[in-house]
Amino acid sequence: MEYIIGLDCGGTKTEAFAYNVKTGEEVASAISGFGNLVVDYDLGMSHITSSIVSIFELLEGSHCKGIVLGIAGVDAGGLKEKVSNDLMTIHPTIYIFNDGQLAHFSILKGRDGICVTAGTGSVVLGLHQHKWYRIGGWGHLFGDEGSAYWIAKQAIKLALSDEDNSFQPSNLTLAIFKFFDVKDVFSLTKRLYMLSKTDIASLTTVIAQMSEEGNQEATLLLKQAGIQLGIAVEEMLRKSKLSKESLEIGLNGSVIEKNAQVFSSFHNCLEDSDINVTYCHKQSSCAKGAYYYYKMRELEGFPWGMQ
Amino acid sequence: MEYIIGLDCGGTKTEAFAYNVKTGEEVASAISGFGNLVVDYDLGMSHITSSIVSIFELLEGSHCKGIVLGIAGVDAGGLKEKVSNDLMTIHPTIYIFNDGQLAHFSILKGRDGICVTAGTGSVVLGLHQHKWYRIGGWGHLFGDEGSAYWIAKQAIKLALSDEDNSFQPSNLTLAIFKFFDVKDVFSLTKRLYMLSKTDIASLTTVIAQMSEEGNQEATLLLKQAGIQLGIAVEEMLRKSKLSKESLEIGLNGSVIEKNAQVFSSFHNCLEDSDINVTYCHKQSSCAKGAYYYYKMRELEGFPWGMQ
């Protein structure tokens, strides 16, 4: 049986799956530590390598048609070439994408369209006739609009603005204090600078809960996140040649997949712009993108570049 | 001769000066390593202590009337009490302020008014009848509007927006690439996440130079920084009981002290709001604030709190 390996190399774990190239059926899997090479190249690479080796212990290596990796932040500074060279000793056919592209393949099953990622961070990727287009995805310092980190940051800014304007702390501000276990904005900011962006982003679960309980400030923040993602899709339509008459959008990441308020505000935004959209929901691991990519390559087989 | 010691405990060095309490004359000085206790308490404290000990090697310890420290981020989480306790063994009379308050004392010489700090970060502090008021100063993740980091961030966002909108890189964007030694926005963002906020803020020198050479985007960014600082002063007037009929404003930090474009936009903003302002320029080290604080305390002697 011929198979293709897909690896979703994330910040906390590396998931590897092997798929039967004829049926798409999952035939083996392996899990290892984080695969984010920007954080620690050597350790990340050792996790990636050990995942692949685990698959080869289960399945005949010579039947592997290729290895497809999705790695965050892989687009810059010659990283792709380095990864490719380092993995050549394991297998001659290596395809490297960023994590958003692998998600796009997985959710849209290789078809043209847009994949909106909004989890801790955010990015909007478009694929049209083998060309890639990207909006955002610049990380928490300079972008990530509509992401969980962005929502948390807006809420924190409201709390700081309460202080600057001598307002009494709102219920939302009090919930933020409680979540981070502090008593005032001075302790809050001191604490926040000691936390990771993931820790800060986790505040968004509280905001989502408050919105469900009727807090209007929390609801407004979630709506704004949806609008930010909607704006990014509109920018994508201007940038790419994708058509608004018939657009497929894949949804990826907890904020856009699970938060009804963010999704409905996002959807209204597209409706206001007369975009005729079909949504695609994630049905399997992003690693499954490897299978769809391979099928497409087999059918059409030529190299693709980011625009 | 009786004297007072002032310490400006910064992120790169700790400057200690002793001042004759009668004349304000500087009578001894010592310099040590960084005094930012939030970064590394033990090491910062050892630098602070060694600066004080150096002064006591030059001047009779029993003639010291007190030690006044200005320390960034000292307002949160019981840090003030800890520092005070740790320094009690060296001298019984310790006064602890944040760095902005010490600058306020130094530049406004203990008088009521506003001190606008805009260097790498930014904060606006008001003093009115022994009460402190503060606007901003929430650090680079959540605020610092009008600071060098903020200006650099806005410029970087313009470069990223060029990419998102498929525009050709502007001259400003090309200058950013050159400054950070990269060829495109992908390498740029990768690089920026490896740099400190101070390294990112240093881009502002390039923006200032381009503005001088007539680049309109650069000029607009500097003007926006001035407006941000002007807005913070207006917020301060609403928050405190300081009068717009006769307001003294101290200028602190490279952006507001040295950049004519930022200052003139700031000034226009206040003029549009009919604020009758006198500007005070820094004439000596922020440590000199220790002397003015001591004089005021001697005259009026009661405790002050932040509002």
Side-chain angles (χ1 to χ4, degrees):
Chain A
M1 175 207 60
E2 292 184 329
Y3 64 94
I4 183 105
I5 297 177
L7 281 102
D8 185 11
C9 307
T12 52
K13 65 178 191 290
T14 299
E15 286 185 342
F17 291 94
Y19 302 96
N20 180 320
V21 296
K22 293 235 157 55
T23 64
E25 185 196 357
E26 184 192 313
V27 288
S29 70
I31 279 194
S32 180
F34 75 86
N36 186 326
L37 300 176
V38 176
V39 173
D40 184 331
Y41 186 87
D42 292 336
L43 194 52
M45 186 51 94
S46 77
H47 294 144
I48 290 171
T49 309
S50 79
S51 297
I52 299 172
V53 169
S54 298
I55 300 275
F56 285 160
E57 284 167 3
L58 300 168
L59 302 172
E60 176 59 53
S62 64
H63 296 171
C64 176
K65 302 295 285 176
I67 300 173
V68 184
L69 299 102
I71 306 173
V74 83
D75 298 310
L79 194 55
K80 236 178 219 182
E81 293 68 23
K82 186 167 164 55
V83 176
S84 194
N85 280 334
D86 287 352
L87 290 178
M88 282 298 180
T89 52
I90 294 188
H91 196 278
T93 312
I94 304 287
Y95 307 107
I96 298 168
F97 295 95
N98 66 49
D99 49 343
Q101 289 171 309
L102 195 65
H104 191 298
F105 289 139
S106 174
I107 300 169
L108 290 174
K109 303 185 178 179
R111 297 187 300 271
D112 280 1
I114 292 173
C115 181
V116 173
T117 297
T120 303
S122 72
V123 65
V124 170
L125 288 180
L127 179 62
H128 181 247
Q129 296 184 356
H130 312 105
K131 280 192 182 156
W132 285 103
Y133 302 85
R134 160 176 159 160
I135 302 287
W138 307 117
H140 72 293
L141 291 180
F142 308 105
D144 275 359
E145 290 84 356
S147 68
Y149 181 87
W150 185 90
I151 294 166
K153 186 170 74 176
Q154 305 310 312
I156 291 161
K157 282 184 159 189
L158 283 179
L160 300 176
S161 165
D162 280 356
E163 172 72 27
D164 281 343
N165 290 293
S166 304
F167 297 154
Q168 283 297 94
S170 67
N171 286 336
L172 182 61
T173 296
L174 293 174
I176 294 171
F177 289 171
K178 191 175 168 204
F179 183 74
F180 290 113
D181 193 23
V182 296
K183 296 237 175 324
D184 56 44
V185 290
F186 300 100
S187 307
L188 174 66
T189 47
K190 190 185 170 199
R191 175 123 209 182
L192 291 171
Y193 281 96
M194 293 190 244
L195 297 177
S196 70
K197 65 178 177 184
T198 311
D199 290 338
I200 294 173
S202 64
L203 173 65
T204 296
T205 56
V206 174
I207 296 166
Q209 197 185 326
M210 291 191 76
S211 167
E212 276 177 28
E213 289 162 10
N215 183 289
Q216 296 196 347
E217 267 189 311
T219 301
L220 187 61
L221 290 175
L222 298 174
K223 282 187 179 171
Q224 284 168 343
I227 291 168
Q228 292 292 325
L229 297 170
I231 290 171
V233 167
E234 287 165 16
E235 285 180 344
M236 175 57 79
L237 288 177
R238 280 194 293 276
K239 190 174 190 174
S240 70
K241 295 198 178 68
L242 287 159
S243 159
K244 66 191 272 184
E245 311 307 324
S246 156
L247 180 66
E248 281 196 273
I249 293 185
L251 306 174
N252 181 40
S254 55
V255 171
I256 190 71
E257 283 184 82
K258 293 181 188 156
N259 192 289
Q261 199 76 66
V262 174
F263 177 76
S264 97
S265 147
F266 171 70
H267 172 71
N268 290 341
C269 202
L270 302 188
E271 211 167 51
D272 289 349
S273 300
D274 292 321
I275 300 171
N276 183 11
V277 59
T278 308
Y279 296 106
C280 301
H281 298 269
K282 205 191 283 176
Q283 291 170 335
S284 47
S285 162
C286 289
K288 183 83 181 262
Y291 165 72
Y292 296 111
Y293 172 66
Y294 180 78
K295 293 305 278 182
M296 217 174 3
R297 228 190 134 81
E298 219 182 10
L299 288 171
E300 306 171 356
F302 44 86
W304 306 358
M306 179 75 77
Q307 290 304 297
Chain B
M1 175 209 57
E2 291 184 328
Y3 65 92
I4 182 106
I5 297 176
L7 282 101
D8 185 12
C9 307
T12 53
K13 65 179 190 290
T14 299
E15 285 185 342
F17 291 96
Y19 301 96
N20 181 320
V21 295
K22 293 235 158 54
T23 64
E25 185 196 359
E26 183 192 314
V27 289
S29 70
I31 280 193
S32 182
F34 75 86
N36 187 327
L37 300 176
V38 176
V39 173
D40 183 333
Y41 186 88
D42 291 336
L43 194 53
M45 187 51 93
S46 78
H47 294 144
I48 290 171
T49 310
S50 80
S51 297
I52 300 171
V53 170
S54 298
I55 300 275
F56 285 160
E57 283 166 3
L58 299 165
L59 301 172
E60 176 57 53
S62 64
H63 294 171
C64 176
K65 301 295 285 177
I67 299 174
V68 184
L69 299 102
I71 306 174
V74 83
D75 298 311
L79 195 55
K80 236 177 218 182
E81 294 67 25
K82 185 165 164 58
V83 175
S84 195
N85 280 335
D86 287 352
L87 290 177
M88 281 297 180
T89 53
I90 294 187
H91 196 279
T93 313
I94 305 287
Y95 306 108
I96 299 169
F97 295 96
N98 67 50
D99 49 343
Q101 290 172 308
L102 195 64
H104 191 298
F105 289 139
S106 174
I107 299 169
L108 291 173
K109 301 184 179 179
R111 296 187 302 270
D112 280 0
I114 292 172
C115 183
V116 174
T117 296
T120 303
S122 72
V123 65
V124 170
L125 288 180
L127 179 63
H128 181 246
Q129 295 184 357
H130 312 105
K131 280 192 181 155
W132 285 105
Y133 302 85
R134 161 176 159 162
I135 302 285
W138 307 118
H140 72 293
L141 292 181
F142 308 106
D144 276 0
E145 290 84 356
S147 69
Y149 181 88
W150 185 90
I151 294 166
K153 186 170 72 176
Q154 305 309 313
I156 291 162
K157 282 183 159 190
L158 282 180
L160 300 175
S161 165
D162 280 356
E163 173 71 25
D164 281 343
N165 290 291
S166 305
F167 297 154
Q168 284 296 94
S170 68
N171 287 336
L172 182 61
T173 297
L174 293 173
I176 295 171
F177 289 171
K178 190 174 168 204
F179 183 74
F180 290 113
D181 193 23
V182 295
K183 297 238 175 325
D184 56 44
V185 290
F186 300 100
S187 307
L188 175 67
T189 46
K190 189 183 171 203
R191 174 123 209 181
L192 290 170
Y193 281 95
M194 293 190 244
L195 296 177
S196 70
K197 66 178 177 183
T198 312
D199 290 338
I200 293 173
S202 65
L203 173 65
T204 296
T205 56
V206 174
I207 297 165
Q209 198 185 324
M210 290 191 77
S211 167
E212 275 176 29
E213 290 162 10
N215 183 289
Q216 295 195 349
E217 266 189 313
T219 300
L220 187 62
L221 290 175
L222 298 174
K223 281 186 180 171
Q224 284 169 341
I227 291 168
Q228 291 292 326
L229 296 170
I231 290 170
V233 166
E234 287 165 15
E235 285 181 343
M236 174 58 78
L237 288 177
R238 281 194 293 277
K239 187 173 191 174
S240 70
K241 297 198 176 67
L242 287 160
S243 160
K244 66 191 271 185
E245 311 305 326
S246 156
L247 179 66
E248 282 195 273
I249 293 185
L251 305 175
N252 182 39
S254 55
V255 171
I256 190 71
E257 283 184 81
K258 294 181 186 155
N259 191 289
Q261 198 76 65
V262 173
F263 177 76
S264 95
S265 147
F266 172 70
H267 173 70
N268 290 342
C269 201
L270 303 187
E271 211 166 52
D272 289 348
S273 301
D274 291 322
I275 300 170
N276 183 12
V277 58
T278 309
Y279 296 106
C280 302
H281 298 269
K282 205 190 283 175
Q283 289 170 336
S284 46
S285 163
C286 288
K288 183 81 180 263
Y291 166 72
Y292 296 111
Y293 171 67
Y294 181 78
K295 294 305 279 183
M296 219 174 0
R297 226 187 136 82
E298 219 181 10
L299 288 170
E300 306 171 356
F302 47 85
W304 305 359
M306 179 76 75
Q307 290 304 297

